[in-house]
Each structure stands twice: as C-alpha cells, then as structure tokens.
C-alpha cells in the first residue's frame, strides 16, 4: 500500500511539472490569454465594440460548427434591413516568427495589406497583436495553408445596416452583441440567439408554444424599404432646397395603424453610431414641436361637417379656409371628441436619453398646443378611416429556425377603437376626401404652413413649419403620408417668400401621390429567409470599410496623432474621440471615463493599446 501511495504521489508531481511547463512555455500561455481577455478592438468604421472574453479560438473555420449569429431584421418584402456576418480577426505572436520578412511577404497578398505595414506591426516582440480584421473565411483558409506558427484566427460577429441612415432611427444599433436603440433594443431578447417567451414579443401569436428561438429567430417588419428610400430622398431634397433644419415623413395604413415608412432627418447611420446623435433623429418624429394650428383647417372642416350639414358650401381644405362661424369653444369640443391630440407612446428606445425623457417633453409640449409628427398622423387617420382610432405598429411577425416556420402578428393585440358611429365616420371621410384640391390625381392633398414671430433682445425672430398630408386612393385611402419640415429659429430676417408658399408643398404632394400608389394592402405570407445572406450587402459592407480606412489614413497622414483628453466623457463620446486613430482599446468598468493610458498629449504613432478606466456615477446621463 505504501508503495502504491508513493507511486501516486510521484505521478501527481509529474503531472504538475508537465502542466507548469505547458503554462510557461507553450506559444499561447495562459498569461497571454488573460491579456487578450480584456482587449477591445475598434476597427476603422466598424459599428460596434467587440469584447473578447475567455480563451482565443485557435481552430479554423472548417473545424467549427455553423455559426449562430444575431437574427436578421427584414422589411415586409424580406429585404435585409439589419444583418450579422461572421468574419475573422487574425491574431499573431511575433516572437514565434523566425523570419518576419518572409511572413510579411506571404501574408501581404492574402490580407491585401502592404508588406511594409505588416513588418511595422510585427516589430513588437511581446504578446499578441491583431494584425488584421474583417477577414472572410476564404482569406482565413489561405492563411491556414501557409502553416505558419504563431498565427491564429478569432471569429467576430459584425452587424451591418445596408441602407445606412435611411432607416437608422427606426432600427437603432448594436454594440457588444446587445441592442441599445430602436428595434434592435426593443426586440433584443428575440434577435439574440437563445430562447425567448411571449412577454418579450407580446404582439406575436406563439401558436401554443411556451418559448421560441431555441437557436435563432429573424423578425419581419411592416416597413417597405423601397418606399422608405423614396421618402427619405424626397425629404432630403426638399430640406436642402428650402434650408430647413429638420423634417420627417411617416407613411401608415390609416385603417390598421401599420407603419409603412418612418423617416427622420437629420438621421444617423447605425453603422457608425458613435459619430452622430440619434436623439436628433428621434426628436424629429416623437418630440412635440409642431404647432397644432397646422391642422386647424382640417379640424374646422370636420366640425363643420356635423354642425352645418352636408348641404352647405364648404371651401376645399387645401386652401385658406375660415372657421365656418364656429366658436373657439366648439372647435375645442371637436378637438377632444375626435381625439386629435391623443398622446402616442414613444415606442422606440433611445440609448442616450434617460427613461421617460421624451414622454415628459411630449406632455409639457402638449399643454402649449404642440404636437409630434407621429401624434398628428394618427390623429388625422381618424378623419379619413371612417372614425376609428388606430395605434402604431410595425411588426409583421418572426421566423423561428428551429420550428422552420413563421409566427405572425396577433391582430387582437392592436384593435382599433371606434370614436364615431359607422354612419358618422363614413360621412366624415367622404366629406374630407371630397374636397381634395387635386382630385384629378386620384388622391387627397392638404398643405399648410405655420409661422410664428417672437421677440428676442428687441428683435423679431421668425419660426416656420411646413406640413403636407397625402392619401391614396382618394375614395378609401390605404396609404396616408404626413410630411413635416421645421426651419428652426429664423431671424431676425424672415425667410424668402418662396419658403412660405403653399404651391411648393402642393407640388411636392402631386409628385408623391403616384409614389404612394401600390404600397397599401396587407402582407400576410412571406418567403422563407434565404439560407445565405445577401452577397450584395456583404460586398457593400467591405466596400464601406475600405472607404472608412482610406479616410482615416488621409486625415492622419500629415500630422502625428496625439492622445486626446477623455477624462469625464461617457464611453460613447470617448470612443468617438479615439476611433479615428484605429488603435485597440481595453475597457475596465462601466460608466464615465476616470482614467486613460496613454496620458493626454502622448504620441499615438506606435501605440497598439489604449486603456480606459470607467466608473459609474449616481446620477449619470449621457
């Protein structure tokens, strides 16, 4: 027994010695792995911060199972709006290279990098460096065929938004594999791989299932990206021509409340979310800033329909109209009866605003007679859909890859509320639509401009807002478009007369009426998602990254980059500052930046890693 015990002790000591030698002498030591665990890379132009946790994956793509990526967001026609790709970073340990010149020579054509640049990166002998990122599986396989020591790949998931800012405010963005804004945040639990329950997406009919998404699920929105692009272009051209500071375009199905397009400008590109402010895009849609007198002529005509009767002679609403002799008190009664000022919940999360900030702003503005664009379009829908109050929604359903089927929206989740009796509603709709100024175009148009003047420091300051309402077809609209433009504070000199001319707005409306035709009607069945992502979008992703890299190189070529001051900034704003230098960033903690390495003013030419130390504040808001 004693001899057996001695043998067991000897065997244990031998195993410990072997383990110690493995830890300290293998190329990838545990210490190096611990160093890598805190490494964060900001590749040029990539829209997210990628955090590496745990050991480095040293296997190559063909040895790995099919990746499970974040779910795709599709429009109503199954066009990719937000999509994830599995790419690779190339990690190298220069100390393992006997001939760095040979390594650089062989890697240069595969990585599409200059040989001298690779040699410059390989001059650091200690630790592990990320030599290249955004590599396709083809490139990684070519690297493996070289059989070079000290080279390993790391899979990385990247999120891409093919239309950039066109639907940025609606989609939001992802950082660190988490949705932080817009639809990405609203349905984060659904889009991330793993099970979710109906509480995460209550509007979808689970068809008796307790949970879905055992692997991954995609979601399908009601948005039509072709209409979204056309409205975005029309709004941008009009704003530039008129010199307006902001604007929005909201297209809905007035009978169901389904959102077909949601445009706000200035917008932001979720691929580069740290470079722009999504709050501005959010306010263009949800902040109550538009004077309610913009829709006063429509209110007056609706009230006159019931008070005067249909046998009266009513002027078209598209021209300046009187109040038909109705008192202010009576108009206010109809305002409340038709529920034109009902608050619309802020249904899109915003990452950098405190919870409830916008709803508070809406309540405060509502007391002063201001409305948001979303608030206006759903109020006006009641006048044109036979007296039903509808709520906004933009989710058609989801596709579950485990069940291999669609789970569609449960329409009981958003029933319409009838405000007027069917007879009154039909009467109101016919009266409103019958007075269209451009009836020959087969649609309804209304335009108005609100102009206010206030005194500041003894000067008259002007503020102007434009509103356009369009609907098709004229008899019973399937698409209702609200187009709003805010010029901001203009003064003390008023804008050109042309900016206050309704003809420009009505001309825009006539051009948009044929655009809106064909986008109505319901979409209840969808083609199954393709097994492979759209290759055209992947090509655009790589092209956009090359443009970003070239821009950074051009900006830095004439001056030696110096470390900026980041103390006191939020992580978001700190990354905005440091991203332009294309260096690795190691993040410790959360909250605001309280420490940084290198120090302020130190050269960054040979810096590989910037370290940021963060701490939380009790009353923190970005």
């Amino acid at each position: 027994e004693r001899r057996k015990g001695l043998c067991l002790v000897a065997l244990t000591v031998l195993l410990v010695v072997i383990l110690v030698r493995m830890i300290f002498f293998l190329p990838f030591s545990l210490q190096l792995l611990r160093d890598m665990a805190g490494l964060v890379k900001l590749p040029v132009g990539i829209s997210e911060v990628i955090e590496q946790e745990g050991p480095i994956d040293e296997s190559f793509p063909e040895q790995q199972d099919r990746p499970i990526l974040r779910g795709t967001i599709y429009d109503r026609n199954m066009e990719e709006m937000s999509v994830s790709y599995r790419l690779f970073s190339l990690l190298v340990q220069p100390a393992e290279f006997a001939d760095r010149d040979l390594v650089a020579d062989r890697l240069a054509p595969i990585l599409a990098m200059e040989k001298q640049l690779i040699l410059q990166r390989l001059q650091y002998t200690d630790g592990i460096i990320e030599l290249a990122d955004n590599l396709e599986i083809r490139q990684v396989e070519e690297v493996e065929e070289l059989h070079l020591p000290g080279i390993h790949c790391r899979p990385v998931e990247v999120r891409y938004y093919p239309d950039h800012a066109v639907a940025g405010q609606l989609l939001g963005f992802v950082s660190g594999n988490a949705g932080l804004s817009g639809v990405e945040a609203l349905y984060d639990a659904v889009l991330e791989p793993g099970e979710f329950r109906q509480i995460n997406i209550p509007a979808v009919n689970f068809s008796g299932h307790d949970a879905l998404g055992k692997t991954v699920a995609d979601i399908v929105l009601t948005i039509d990206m072709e209409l979204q692009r056309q409205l975005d272009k029309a709004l941008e051209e009009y704003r530039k021509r008129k010199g307006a500071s902001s604007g929005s375009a909201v297209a809905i199905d007035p009978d169901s409340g389904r959102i077909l397009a949601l445009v706000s400008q200035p917008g932001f590109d979720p691929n580069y979310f740290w470079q722009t402010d999504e709050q501005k895009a959010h306010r263009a849609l949800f902040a109550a800033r538009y004077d309610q007198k913009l829709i006063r002529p429509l209110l007056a005509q609706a009230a006159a329909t019931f008070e005067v009767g249909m046998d009266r002679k009513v002027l078209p609403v598209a021209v300046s109209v009187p109040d038909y002799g109705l008192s202010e008190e009576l108009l206010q009664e109809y305002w409340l009866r038709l529920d034109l000022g009902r608050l619309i919940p802020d249904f899109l999360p915003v990452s950098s605003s405190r919870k409830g900030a916008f709803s508070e702003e809406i309540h405060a503005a509502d007391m002063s007679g201001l409305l948001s664009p979303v608030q206006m379009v759903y109020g006006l829908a009641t006048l044109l859909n036979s007296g039903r109050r509808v709520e906004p929604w933009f989710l058609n359903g989801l596709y579950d890859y485990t069940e291999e089927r669609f789970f569609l929206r449960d329409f009981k989740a958003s029933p319409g509320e009838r405000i007027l009796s069917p007879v009154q509603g039909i009467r109101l709709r016919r009266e409103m639509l019958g007075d269209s100024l451009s009836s020959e175009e087969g649609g309804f148009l209304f335009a108005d401009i609100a102009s206010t003047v206030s005194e500041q420091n003894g000067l008259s300051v002007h503020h102007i807002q434009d509103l356009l309402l369009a609907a098709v077809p004229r008899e019973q609209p399937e698409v209702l478009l609200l187009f709003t433009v805010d010029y901001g504070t203009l003064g003390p000199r008023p804008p050109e007369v042309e900016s206050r001319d309704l003809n420009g707005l009505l001309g825009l409306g006539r051009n948009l009426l044929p655009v809106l035709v064909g986008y109505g009607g319901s979409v209840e069945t969808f083609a199954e998602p393709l097994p492979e992502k759209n290759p055209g979008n992947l090509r655009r992703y790589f092209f956009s990254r090359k443009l970003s890299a070239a821009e950074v190189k051009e900006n830095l070529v004439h001056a030696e980059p110096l470390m900026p001051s980041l103390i006191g900034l939020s992580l978001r704003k700190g990354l905005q500052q440091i991203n332009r230098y294309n260096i690795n960033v190691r993040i410790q903690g959360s909250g605001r930046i309280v420490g940084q390495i290198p120090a302020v003013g130190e050269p960054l030419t040979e810096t590989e890693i910037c370290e940021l130390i963060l701490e939380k504040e009790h009353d923190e808001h970005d």
Side-chain angles (χ1 to χ4, degrees):
E1 291 297 330
R2 183 178 180 183
R3 184 176 299 175
K4 289 181 179 179
L6 290 174
C7 290
L8 182 60
V9 171
L11 181 60
T12 303
V13 171
L14 179 61
L15 290 175
V16 170
V17 170
I18 294 174
L19 179 61
V20 170
R21 290 185 61 83
M22 290 177 64
I23 292 174
F24 288 101
F25 295 103
L26 282 180
F28 264 84
S29 70
L30 292 181
Q31 180 59 45
L32 291 177
L33 294 179
R34 283 195 296 269
D35 290 342
M36 284 302 302
L39 186 65
V40 176
K41 172 65 179 173
L42 272 181
V44 178
I46 280 192
S47 66
E48 60 181 333
V49 180
I50 303 168
E51 299 189 22
Q52 173 71 21
E53 296 182 358
I56 297 176
D57 187 351
E58 300 182 26
S59 59
F60 279 84
E62 68 271 17
Q63 300 170 328
Q64 299 174 9
D65 295 332
R66 180 183 176 92
I68 300 179
L69 302 173
R70 185 176 177 88
T72 300
I73 301 176
Y74 291 98
D75 82 336
R76 61 185 287 192
N77 299 311
M78 299 304 293
E79 180 179 338
E80 293 172 355
M81 299 176 68
S82 177
V83 59
S84 288
Y85 301 115
R86 193 186 202 196
L87 302 178
F88 299 86
S89 295
L90 196 66
L91 308 176
V92 300
Q93 190 176 9
E96 289 292 300
F97 301 148
D99 188 344
R100 298 183 187 181
D101 187 82
L102 176 63
V103 171
D105 187 65
R106 292 186 176 181
L107 289 179
I110 299 175
L111 304 181
M113 294 175 61
E114 296 179 5
K115 178 180 176 180
Q116 287 303 120
L117 179 58
I118 296 177
L119 284 172
Q120 181 181 356
R121 299 291 304 278
L122 296 181
Q123 67 179 312
Y124 301 96
T125 58
D126 296 329
I128 302 167
I129 65 171
E130 184 179 75
L131 184 60
D133 56 21
N134 286 331
L135 299 183
E136 297 181 76
I137 191 170
R138 165 188 57 82
Q139 294 171 288
V140 175
E141 290 171 345
E142 291 178 11
V143 170
E144 185 195 26
E145 292 174 358
L146 299 177
H147 300 290
L148 296 171
I151 294 183
H152 307 270
C153 76
R154 176 180 64 186
V156 173
E157 179 177 345
V158 296
R159 195 71 165 169
Y160 181 53
Y161 304 87
D163 282 275
H164 295 268
V166 172
Q169 187 273 334
L170 171 69
L171 293 171
F173 60 89
V174 170
S175 180
N177 297 324
L180 298 182
S181 175
V183 174
E184 296 277 23
L186 189 62
Y187 297 119
D188 184 59
V190 178
L191 293 167
E192 272 298 292
E195 284 193 349
F196 56 87
R197 300 186 178 277
Q198 191 150 20
I199 191 174
N200 301 121
I201 189 165
V204 169
N205 184 353
F206 270 44
S207 301
H209 290 73
D210 294 328
L212 297 174
K214 291 182 180 179
T215 51
V216 69
D218 298 335
I219 63 174
V220 184
L221 304 183
T222 63
I223 302 297
D224 192 301
M225 282 304 297
E226 182 58 34
L227 179 60
Q228 181 88 11
R229 295 185 195 103
Q230 295 195 60
L231 294 180
D232 184 84
K233 181 181 179 181
L235 179 59
E236 183 178 17
E237 290 176 351
Y238 185 84
R239 284 182 57 228
K240 287 183 177 179
R241 187 168 70 251
K242 297 294 186 178
S245 61
S246 63
S248 65
V250 186
I252 68 170
D253 174 354
D255 192 53
S256 68
R258 175 171 51 115
I259 300 175
L260 303 174
L262 201 64
V263 179
S264 59
Q265 294 179 4
F268 81 101
D269 187 341
N271 292 298
Y272 313 98
F273 66 88
W274 57 86
Q275 296 178 356
T276 50
D277 185 357
E278 78 273 21
Q279 279 198 32
K280 292 182 180 178
H282 197 88
R283 290 191 182 105
L285 287 166
F286 292 98
R289 294 183 170 182
Y290 285 87
D291 197 324
Q292 70 178 39
K293 67 183 180 183
L294 281 164
I295 61 175
R296 182 185 175 90
L298 294 171
L299 170 65
Q301 187 184 10
T305 298
F306 298 112
E307 291 296 315
V308 181
M310 295 188 65
D311 57 346
R312 79 218 186 291
K313 186 67 175 177
V314 178
L315 295 175
V317 296
V319 301
S320 180
V321 297
D323 289 342
Y324 308 108
L326 304 177
S327 67
E328 194 66 34
E329 291 76 13
L330 188 59
L331 288 176
Q332 182 62 24
E333 287 182 17
Y334 275 97
W335 176 268
L336 298 175
R337 179 183 176 186
L338 296 171
D339 209 10
L340 296 183
R342 176 188 288 190
L343 297 176
I344 297 294
D346 185 351
F347 49 79
L348 289 176
V350 182
S351 66
S352 54
S353 67
R354 288 177 295 170
K355 185 177 181 180
F358 283 106
S359 59
E360 292 170 6
E361 183 179 359
I362 289 175
H363 278 284
D366 182 69
M367 298 300 292
S368 59
L370 300 178
L371 303 171
S372 72
V374 173
Q375 199 175 356
M376 283 194 288
V377 72
Y378 281 93
L380 295 173
T382 303
L383 306 183
L384 304 182
N385 69 5
S386 302
R388 294 176 62 253
R389 180 73 194 201
V390 293
E391 299 295 336
W393 59 275
F394 53 81
L395 181 70
N396 265 326
L398 63 89
Y399 183 84
D400 186 289
Y401 281 85
T402 303
E403 299 292 333
E404 296 185 338
R405 55 167 286 196
F406 281 99
F407 292 83
L408 301 180
R409 181 179 183 84
D410 182 358
F411 289 96
K412 297 178 182 178
S414 55
E417 176 188 355
R418 179 159 292 283
I419 294 177
L420 302 174
S421 69
V423 173
Q424 289 177 318
I426 293 173
R427 175 184 174 188
L428 176 61
R429 174 174 59 81
R430 289 177 177 173
E431 187 66 26
M432 300 295 293
L433 297 172
D435 279 338
S436 174
L437 183 65
S438 55
S439 58
E440 71 279 2
E441 298 292 340
F444 169 81
L445 283 180
F446 167 75
D448 203 2
I449 292 175
S451 178
T452 60
V453 180
S454 60
E455 187 174 320
Q456 296 182 11
N457 299 324
L459 297 175
S460 296
V461 177
H462 298 257
H463 191 98
I464 293 178
Q465 296 173 329
D466 294 348
L467 179 144
L468 171 68
L469 194 68
V472 294
R474 179 172 164 243
E475 294 75 18
Q476 190 165 352
E478 295 180 351
V479 181
L480 175 63
L481 168 66
L482 181 75
F483 193 97
T484 54
V485 169
D486 192 332
Y487 292 85
T489 301
L490 305 171
R493 183 178 178 181
E496 298 295 331
V497 175
E498 181 189 0
S499 298
R500 292 173 286 171
D501 186 5
L502 285 177
N503 290 332
L505 272 173
L506 292 172
L508 172 65
R510 294 188 186 97
N511 292 333
L512 289 177
L513 283 178
V515 171
L516 301 178
V517 174
Y519 289 103
S522 61
V523 177
E524 298 179 353
T525 58
F526 312 98
E528 288 191 9
L530 297 175
E532 301 296 332
K533 307 296 174 64
N534 185 337
N537 285 338
L538 182 58
R539 288 193 297 270
R540 281 189 284 272
Y541 169 82
F542 285 116
F543 182 70
S544 66
R545 295 309 180 257
K546 289 179 181 178
L547 288 181
S548 298
E551 181 181 353
V552 170
K553 184 176 180 181
E554 178 67 22
N555 290 340
L556 299 180
V557 71
H558 299 297
E560 181 180 32
L562 302 177
M563 183 67 182
S565 175
L566 307 178
I567 305 298
L569 299 180
S570 65
L571 176 59
R572 174 192 177 88
K573 293 181 179 178
L575 295 180
Q576 289 175 352
Q577 295 287 326
I578 201 66
N579 175 64
R580 60 192 298 266
Y581 301 109
N582 190 30
I583 62 177
N584 297 317
V585 180
R586 180 183 289 125
I587 299 172
Q588 295 184 16
S590 61
R592 291 193 174 271
I593 300 172
V594 297
Q596 64 178 67
I597 303 173
V600 178
E602 289 192 14
L604 295 177
T605 306
E606 298 182 358
T607 300
E608 284 291 315
I609 297 176
C610 167
E611 186 169 345
L612 302 179
I613 299 96
L614 284 66
E615 288 185 2
K616 289 185 177 180
E617 295 180 354
H618 294 295
D619 186 22
E620 179 188 335
H621 37 259
D622 195 348

Coordinates of all heavy atoms in Angstrom, one line a residue, residues 20 38 83 151 172 175 177 185 188 209 217 220 241 254 301 311 315 326 356 389 427 434 472 488 531 547 550 572:
V20 N 2.9 22.9 -15.5 CA 3.7 24.1 -15.3 C 4.4 24.4 -16.6 O 4.5 25.6 -17.0 CB 4.6 24.0 -14.1 CG1 5.6 25.2 -14.1 CG2 3.8 24.0 -12.8
G38 N -9.1 41.1 -22.0 CA -9.6 42.5 -21.8 C -9.4 43.3 -23.1 O -9.6 44.5 -23.0
V83 N -28.3 43.0 -40.6 CA -27.9 41.6 -40.8 C -26.5 41.5 -40.1 O -25.7 42.4 -40.1 CB -27.8 41.3 -42.3 CG1 -26.9 42.3 -43.0 CG2 -27.4 39.9 -42.6
I151 N 0.2 32.0 -35.5 CA -0.9 32.7 -36.2 C -2.2 32.0 -35.9 O -2.3 30.8 -36.0 CB -0.7 32.8 -37.7 CG1 0.5 33.6 -38.1 CG2 -1.9 33.3 -38.4 CD1 0.8 33.8 -39.5
G172 N -32.1 51.6 -34.9 CA -31.2 51.7 -33.8 C -29.9 51.1 -34.1 O -29.5 51.0 -35.3
S175 N -24.2 47.2 -30.0 CA -22.8 47.3 -29.6 C -22.6 46.2 -28.5 O -23.4 46.0 -27.6 CB -22.6 48.7 -28.9 OG -21.2 48.8 -28.5
N177 N -22.7 43.1 -28.9 CA -23.7 42.0 -29.0 C -25.0 42.3 -28.3 O -25.7 41.4 -27.9 CB -23.2 40.6 -28.6 CG -22.0 40.2 -29.5 OD1 -22.0 40.4 -30.7 ND2 -21.0 39.6 -28.9
A185 N -33.0 47.3 -29.9 CA -33.2 47.3 -28.4 C -34.5 46.7 -28.0 O -34.6 45.9 -27.1 CB -33.0 48.7 -27.8
D188 N -34.4 42.9 -28.6 CA -33.1 42.4 -28.3 C -33.1 40.9 -27.9 O -32.4 40.1 -28.3 CB -32.3 43.2 -27.3 CG -30.9 42.7 -27.1 OD1 -30.1 42.7 -28.1 OD2 -30.5 42.4 -25.9
H209 N -47.0 27.5 -28.3 CA -45.6 27.3 -27.8 C -45.3 28.1 -26.5 O -45.7 29.3 -26.4 CB -44.6 27.6 -28.9 CG -44.6 26.7 -30.0 ND1 -45.6 26.7 -31.0 CD2 -43.7 25.7 -30.4 CE1 -45.3 25.8 -31.9 NE2 -44.2 25.2 -31.6
A217 N -33.9 33.5 -34.2 CA -35.1 33.9 -34.9 C -34.8 35.2 -35.6 O -34.1 36.1 -35.1 CB -36.2 34.0 -33.9
V220 N -39.7 40.2 -39.0 CA -40.1 40.8 -40.2 C -41.0 42.0 -39.9 O -42.0 41.9 -39.1 CB -41.0 39.8 -41.1 CG1 -41.3 40.5 -42.4 CG2 -40.2 38.6 -41.3
R241 N -33.4 72.3 -50.5 CA -33.9 73.4 -51.3 C -34.4 74.6 -50.5 O -34.3 75.7 -50.8 CB -35.0 72.9 -52.3 CG -35.4 73.9 -53.3 CD -36.3 73.3 -54.4 NE -37.6 72.8 -53.9 CZ -37.9 71.6 -53.7 NH1 -37.1 70.6 -54.0 NH2 -39.2 71.3 -53.3
P254 N -53.9 53.9 -42.8 CA -54.8 54.6 -41.8 C -55.9 53.7 -41.3 O -56.5 54.0 -40.2 CB -55.4 55.7 -42.7 CG -55.3 55.2 -44.1 CD -54.1 54.4 -44.1
Q301 N -63.0 71.9 -40.8 CA -63.9 71.2 -41.7 C -64.6 70.0 -41.1 O -65.8 69.8 -41.4 CB -63.1 70.8 -43.0 CG -64.0 70.3 -44.1 CD -63.3 69.7 -45.2 OE1 -62.0 69.6 -45.2 NE2 -63.9 69.5 -46.3
D311 N -75.1 69.8 -46.8 CA -75.7 70.6 -48.0 C -75.1 72.0 -48.0 O -75.5 72.8 -48.9 CB -77.2 70.7 -47.8 CG -77.6 71.3 -46.5 OD1 -76.7 71.4 -45.6 OD2 -78.8 71.7 -46.4
L315 N -65.4 75.3 -48.5 CA -64.2 75.5 -49.3 C -63.3 74.4 -49.2 O -63.3 73.7 -48.1 CB -63.5 76.8 -48.9 CG -64.3 78.1 -49.2 CD1 -63.5 79.3 -48.6 CD2 -64.5 78.3 -50.7
L326 N -67.8 78.9 -36.6 CA -67.8 78.1 -35.4 C -66.9 78.7 -34.3 O -65.8 79.3 -34.6 CB -67.2 76.7 -35.7 CG -67.9 75.9 -36.8 CD1 -67.2 74.6 -37.0 CD2 -69.4 75.7 -36.5
G356 N -38.1 58.0 -20.1 CA -39.2 58.9 -19.8 C -38.9 60.3 -20.2 O -39.8 61.1 -20.1
R389 N -60.0 55.0 -34.2 CA -58.7 55.4 -33.6 C -57.8 54.2 -33.7 O -58.1 53.1 -33.1 CB -58.9 55.9 -32.2 CG -57.6 56.3 -31.5 CD -57.1 57.6 -32.1 NE -55.7 57.9 -31.7 CZ -55.1 59.1 -31.7 NH1 -55.9 60.1 -32.1 NH2 -53.9 59.2 -31.4
R427 N -69.6 59.4 -43.3 CA -69.9 60.8 -43.7 C -68.7 61.7 -43.6 O -68.5 62.5 -44.6 CB -71.1 61.3 -42.8 CG -71.5 62.7 -43.1 CD -72.5 63.1 -42.1 NE -72.9 64.5 -42.2 CZ -73.6 65.2 -41.3 NH1 -74.2 64.5 -40.3 NH2 -73.9 66.4 -41.5
G434 N -63.6 64.4 -50.3 CA -64.3 65.0 -51.5 C -63.8 66.4 -51.8 O -64.0 66.9 -52.9
V472 N -53.8 58.0 -50.7 CA -54.2 57.3 -51.9 C -54.8 55.9 -51.4 O -54.3 55.4 -50.4 CB -53.0 57.1 -52.9 CG1 -52.6 58.4 -53.4 CG2 -51.9 56.3 -52.2
G488 N -36.5 75.6 -37.9 CA -35.8 76.1 -36.7 C -36.1 77.6 -36.5 O -37.1 78.1 -37.0
P531 N -31.0 30.8 -47.1 CA -30.0 30.1 -46.2 C -28.7 31.0 -46.1 O -28.0 30.9 -45.1 CB -29.8 28.8 -46.8 CG -30.2 28.9 -48.2 CD -31.4 29.9 -48.2
L547 N -13.6 52.4 -47.6 CA -13.7 53.9 -47.7 C -13.3 54.5 -46.4 O -12.6 55.5 -46.3 CB -15.1 54.2 -48.1 CG -15.5 54.0 -49.6 CD1 -16.9 54.4 -49.8 CD2 -14.6 54.7 -50.6
A550 N -9.6 54.4 -45.8 CA -8.9 55.4 -46.6 C -9.0 56.8 -46.1 O -8.1 57.6 -46.1 CB -9.4 55.3 -48.1
R572 N -19.3 56.3 -24.9 CA -19.7 56.6 -26.2 C -18.9 57.8 -26.8 O -18.4 57.7 -27.9 CB -21.2 56.9 -26.3 CG -21.8 57.4 -27.6 CD -23.2 58.0 -27.4 NE -23.7 58.5 -28.7 CZ -24.3 57.8 -29.6 NH1 -24.5 56.5 -29.4 NH2 -24.7 58.3 -30.7

